[in-house]
Amino acid sequence: MPTHSRPRWRALLVRRISELALLAAATPFIAQAQARWTLKETLRIGGADAGPTSFLRTKSIEADSKGRILVYDQQSQDIKMFAPDGKFLRTIGRLGSGPGELRNAEGITIDRAGRIWVRDASNARFTVFNSEGEFEKNWTMKFCWSQGNWYPQVDGKSRIVDFDCVVPQGGGRAMGYAVVAYRPDLSGVDTLSTRPECGTRELSEAGTWITRSEKSTMYRAVPFAPSPVSVLGPNGETWCAPNSSRYEIMRLVASAKDTVRISRTVAAVPVTKAERDSIISKFDEKGPSGLDFDRIPRAKPAIDKIYVDDQGRPWVRRTNAQGVIEFDIYSSSGQPVATAMLGKYRTWPPFVVRGDNVYMVVLDEDDVQHVVRFHIERRAID
């Protein structure tokens, strides 16, 4: 090669390396799990006809640093505390509006000091108990909406990170939705960022049956219909699947230049005739519902739910054609960690990962609720 051409080739090489680096940064990460985990059942609480182990409408589950299990039941409006071996210890709170009482609360969480927080929108406040379940304080709060099920995160400063609106200091009309952090000393609320959009309103509406009458409007989700799926992380990030019909996940961070993207090819799981007939029968059991059942998709979503564990890692739940529930676990930066196999269980929404244990509500053959603890058994791929 002539000597005078070397600088030009070097410049071209440097430019090509830069182009490849930019291409790699813009290309969605293709997920490949690095290990296989198994979730092994180690404890089951529930099934009683009455008493503390009779769960009717479990809304929230937590586990503290001592391994004690807390179960909030919306039906009884109280929290049951159980020892790590499942022995009942005490009841926390009761129905009402007085100090330490709850009214249609939406969930519980535990901060880094071990205190138990309850989001009680109906009483317009947080109710805080100490680590032993003794009432500590009510904190009046102007919530903008009732979340139904409360899934906050706890950040490194022990703040409770959540979605809500921004209320101007000194009062006034609330402004748009944001990621907020409630201070552990109950001194105020920090606004971390605006709330990122996940999916579209059109997609959400397409997955909903809307029935209007002269007196009311009823909204019912179309079973198996695609929808946006999102969950909040402890640093205010949002893990988002814009359309659950495909396996594509993004980590959205306010003001960040780069967006982590995870994609994966998964086999389509059809909605069986038996499942379809069961859905129609349920909606029409009291007479013709008038719903357009042709809107029920032929295939199930690729993503059921996304959860975030106590290390800030997203767990992506999906169900395969055999009816087995699996979770794809990624690091907080989006790198693949493992795939966890649960098995064939029928579950209720609460899902919590604390250390090496996973806590869920499982339904038995009679639809009775049980709080179940699973141990994570790790096995690396050879």
Side-chain angles (χ1 to χ4, degrees):
M1 178 183 300
T3 304
H4 67 269
S5 67
R6 287 178 181 171
R8 179 173 177 270
W9 280 102
R10 286 175 182 167
L12 289 173
L13 180 60
V14 170
R15 187 174 70 181
R16 183 55 178 160
I17 291 173
S18 299
E19 290 173 349
L20 290 173
L22 290 172
L23 179 62
T27 301
F29 177 73
I30 306 300
Q32 296 293 333
Q34 301 300 300
R36 297 287 295 182
W37 295 354
T38 300
L39 304 183
K40 181 180 179 181
E41 183 176 330
T42 57
L43 179 69
R44 180 175 289 231
I45 308 170
D49 293 331
T53 56
S54 174
F55 306 126
L56 300 176
R57 195 180 300 170
T58 305
K59 195 82 167 180
S60 189
I61 305 173
E62 260 294 0
D64 66 12
S65 60
K66 298 179 180 179
R68 295 178 298 187
I69 303 166
L70 301 168
V71 183
Y72 166 60
D73 194 315
Q74 189 181 32
Q75 184 75 17
S76 57
Q77 289 293 308
D78 57 27
I79 303 165
K80 304 294 194 305
M81 178 185 283
F82 298 90
D85 63 359
K87 179 183 177 182
F88 172 69
L89 297 177
R90 65 174 301 178
T91 298
I92 302 169
R94 63 182 181 182
L95 177 63
S97 298
E101 295 179 337
L102 315 173
R103 184 174 299 280
N104 198 30
E106 297 162 299
I108 63 176
T109 195
I110 298 176
D111 67 16
R112 294 188 182 276
R115 297 182 304 171
I116 305 160
W117 290 58
V118 186
R119 188 183 197 269
D120 191 346
S122 293
N123 279 325
R125 69 193 185 193
F126 284 111
T127 298
V128 182
F129 301 90
N130 68 16
S131 60
E132 298 305 314
E134 299 165 339
F135 172 68
E136 192 170 285
K137 191 173 182 179
N138 287 330
W139 185 16
T140 301
M141 186 60 55
K142 186 177 180 180
F143 299 118
C144 290
W145 60 307
S146 176
Q147 295 192 14
N149 293 293
W150 189 45
Y151 301 117
Q153 299 290 330
V154 181
D155 70 5
K157 299 178 181 179
S158 198
R159 296 179 301 183
I160 308 300
V161 180
D162 195 16
F163 286 135
D164 212 297
C165 62
V166 178
V167 180
Q169 291 185 354
R173 184 175 181 180
M175 296 181 289
Y177 289 109
V179 180
V180 298
Y182 301 99
R183 298 174 193 165
D185 61 0
L186 315 186
S187 64
V189 185
D190 300 322
T191 301
L192 303 184
S193 66
T194 57
R195 178 178 179 175
E197 294 293 330
C198 179
T200 64
R201 181 185 296 272
E202 291 76 15
L203 181 63
S204 299
E205 292 177 351
T208 306
W209 282 312
I210 304 175
T211 307
R212 293 184 172 87
S213 66
E214 294 181 358
K215 297 182 179 180
S216 64
T217 301
M218 183 178 295
Y219 298 86
R220 287 174 283 193
V222 179
F224 304 119
S227 65
V229 179
S230 65
V231 66
L232 189 66
N235 297 310
E237 71 277 23
T238 296
W239 291 96
C240 161
N243 186 329
S244 63
S245 66
R246 60 178 183 267
Y247 197 112
E248 180 185 18
I249 304 155
M250 299 185 297
R251 188 188 67 184
L252 305 177
V253 181
S255 73
K257 294 181 179 179
D258 298 320
T259 298
V260 173
R261 297 176 184 269
I262 303 170
S263 63
R264 182 173 183 170
T265 300
V266 295
V269 179
V271 176
T272 66
K273 184 178 184 301
E275 289 171 329
R276 193 178 190 84
D277 291 345
S278 177
I279 292 168
I280 296 172
S281 176
K282 180 179 179 180
F283 279 103
D284 285 350
E285 62 184 356
K286 295 182 179 180
S289 62
L291 300 176
D292 181 6
F293 294 116
D294 287 338
R295 292 176 60 188
I296 301 174
R298 301 297 174 182
K300 299 177 182 178
I303 295 175
D304 297 334
K305 294 284 185 181
I306 306 175
Y307 307 98
V308 172
D309 67 14
D310 55 352
Q311 297 182 48
R313 302 177 303 187
W315 288 51
V316 181
R317 171 176 163 156
R318 55 190 174 85
T319 305
N320 63 26
Q322 289 72 45
V324 174
I325 298 172
E326 296 183 356
F327 298 91
D328 299 320
I329 301 99
Y330 302 95
S331 71
S332 58
S333 61
Q335 298 298 314
V337 174
T339 294
M341 185 79 68
L342 176 61
K344 293 184 178 181
Y345 283 88
R346 292 194 303 129
T347 64
W348 193 254
F351 179 92
V352 173
V353 182
R354 297 291 179 261
D356 290 334
N357 294 310
V358 177
Y359 302 85
M360 281 183 274
V361 174
V362 171
L363 305 178
D364 66 15
E365 60 275 7
D366 297 317
D367 288 337
V368 176
Q369 295 186 0
H370 298 256
V371 174
V372 179
R373 182 183 66 208
F374 297 87
H375 182 73
I376 301 173
E377 296 188 338
R378 296 172 170 84
R379 179 175 62 86
I381 293 178
D382 298 330

